[in-house]
Amino acid sequence: LAVTKLFGLRGIQHTPLGVRNARIAQHYKASLTATFNIFPAARYAIILEEDLDVSPDFFSYFSQTLRLLEEDPSIYCVSAWNDQGYEHTSTDPALLYRVETMPGLGWILKRSLYKDELEPKWPTPEKMWDWDMWMRLGEVRRGRECIVPDISRTYHFGSSGLNMNSYFQDTYFKKHSFNTLPYVELRDLDSLKKEAYEELITEMLRRGTVLDHSQSPCEETFVPDTTGHTYLLFIQMNHHKDYTTWLQVAKCLRIWDLDGRGYHHGMWRLNIKSNPLLIVGVPFSQYSKFKPTDLKPLYMEAPEKEKDKTKANEKNIIHR
């Protein structure tokens, strides 16, 4: 509050409610409510945490994508963050994706979504929900998706907090990609609309080359040294919560491997060695029909110690 006064800005201080994750969730609710109430003409709000750096084209990125929120009701939010966008898995600053999970970490929220849907249902102080995990729930998201960039427009530098430490920062955030170009003209924005995006993904799957499924994705040569060539990987995924193989593949690819996120209808989209890579979960994904009939989906089982760790994490999430 003292810093806001120093810069001549308006500061709002509210009484904390709840503890730990619930306290953070209540802080978000109070902040969002205050923002939209103080600025009744504002149709959108950009949410940023204090441990994020922003790219030179941060506002340009949002100004270009804003119309998608108006023109496509199937879009939930626009985020500056790509959960799977690491230095070795993202290469194109003009490229955007649709994902089912709400990434946070620098995102734009529509007033009508907050006031009409989120605010009335927001978790109460006694519920130990992470606010972002709550926003990802199927009954809250209601089939809508978020737009994310191939290369992130925010960079997470915070290494201390309720859910953060220096090891976690170094392992999962330090090598995240970050755009440094001052202006990027985003490409094919209309292709992000629901029906057009399905046509785009379908075409990529039709022309893509199936990778050698007998080779481990942990091998450096798993994705060939080409450029602009679309590759396909089909992995076992029996239902929408079956991430057993995906988490092992993610570990091989050195990306986020703690839970399933950043997917679109059971399909993950990456850029490796400047090649689009589509990873399809079979039989769950609607894109399973593109798997060659004689191809067995890749299955990778977690080591025993990781299984125990996963069970503990699941219990923790259920507790929350």
Side-chain angles (χ1 to χ4, degrees):
L1 193 62
V3 173
T4 64
K5 290 177 180 176
L6 184 66
F7 283 92
L9 302 172
R10 181 187 309 197
I12 301 293
Q13 197 164 26
H14 64 89
T15 303
L17 292 171
V19 296
R20 297 179 63 80
N21 301 79
R23 178 168 172 162
I24 294 174
Q26 295 309 306
H27 176 62
Y28 268 89
K29 181 183 180 183
S31 302
L32 294 172
T33 296
T35 298
F36 285 120
N37 287 349
I38 291 170
F39 302 99
R43 295 165 62 194
Y44 304 93
I46 294 175
I47 295 94
L48 273 172
E49 290 85 3
E50 88 285 355
D51 56 359
L52 295 175
D53 195 3
V54 298
S55 67
D57 71 333
F58 181 77
F59 290 114
S60 168
Y61 169 79
F62 282 122
S63 69
Q64 291 180 73
T65 53
L66 194 62
R67 69 176 176 86
L68 292 173
L69 279 169
E70 291 292 338
E71 296 171 6
D72 186 351
S74 74
I75 295 177
Y76 195 43
C77 77
V78 177
S79 177
W81 180 264
N82 178 358
D83 282 310
Q84 312 299 352
Y86 289 81
E87 291 173 352
H88 61 288
T89 57
S90 57
T91 55
D92 188 349
L95 182 61
L96 304 172
Y97 304 145
R98 286 178 70 112
V99 297
E100 292 179 34
T101 47
M102 206 288 296
L105 297 177
W107 56 290
I108 195 161
L109 170 66
K110 198 173 182 178
R111 168 190 283 273
S112 59
L113 173 62
Y114 181 70
K115 284 294 184 181
D116 298 344
E117 298 183 43
L118 303 180
E119 187 180 42
K121 300 176 184 176
W122 201 272
T124 48
E126 74 277 4
K127 293 178 180 172
M128 298 297 288
W129 272 105
D130 286 317
W131 68 272
D132 51 348
M133 290 181 68
W134 174 77
M135 279 192 68
R136 292 181 190 130
L137 291 176
E139 59 266 32
V140 179
R141 186 174 60 84
R142 292 167 49 196
R144 292 167 292 192
E145 296 187 295
C146 289
I147 302 298
V148 302
D150 185 48
I151 298 180
S152 295
R153 264 49 178 196
T154 52
Y155 183 81
H156 186 281
F157 61 81
S159 59
S160 63
L162 180 61
N163 301 307
M164 182 62 61
N165 56 49
S166 57
Y167 170 79
F168 198 68
Q169 167 67 22
D170 288 347
T171 304
Y172 292 103
F173 294 99
K174 190 174 182 179
K175 293 186 178 179
H176 221 87
S177 63
F178 181 57
N179 179 56
T180 56
L181 299 173
Y183 178 75
V184 176
E185 184 174 351
L186 302 176
R187 189 170 63 252
D188 300 331
L189 286 169
D190 286 326
S191 71
L192 275 300
K193 294 178 182 179
K194 188 175 182 178
E195 292 182 3
Y197 195 72
E198 291 312 310
E199 292 176 6
L200 172 69
I201 296 300
T202 298
E203 181 57 31
M204 292 179 73
L205 287 161
R206 280 188 178 137
R207 72 167 187 262
T209 300
V210 178
L211 289 168
D212 182 357
H213 283 52
S214 66
Q215 189 178 2
S216 169
C218 293
E219 296 291 331
E220 186 64 32
T221 56
F222 183 67
V223 176
D225 292 320
T226 56
T227 300
H229 199 111
T230 301
Y231 291 105
L232 312 178
L233 171 63
F234 295 91
I235 65 172
Q236 185 167 314
M237 184 179 181
N238 295 317
H239 51 80
H240 76 286
K241 290 185 178 179
D242 178 14
Y243 301 124
T244 301
T245 297
W246 163 251
L247 295 180
Q248 296 310 304
V249 170
K251 192 179 294 294
C252 283
L253 298 177
R254 307 188 311 281
I255 56 178
W256 184 272
D257 60 8
L258 300 179
D259 59 9
R261 57 179 64 183
Y263 50 80
H264 169 77
H265 298 326
M267 182 272 296
W268 289 264
R269 187 177 171 190
L270 310 171
N271 245 339
I272 297 184
K273 300 177 183 177
S274 296
N275 298 295
L277 170 63
L278 304 184
I279 303 175
V280 179
V282 179
F284 168 70
S285 175
Q286 66 187 43
Y287 306 121
S288 298
K289 62 185 178 182
F290 291 98
K291 181 188 74 68
T293 53
D294 58 343
L295 180 71
K296 185 178 180 181
L298 178 70
Y299 174 70
M300 297 179 74
E301 195 170 11
E304 287 300 323
K305 61 180 180 180
E306 284 192 20
K307 287 182 184 178
D308 295 337
K309 185 179 177 182
T310 300
K311 287 179 182 177
N313 287 338
E314 287 174 350
K315 286 181 180 178
N316 185 37
I317 289 172
I318 291 169
H319 172 69
R320 285 178 179 175

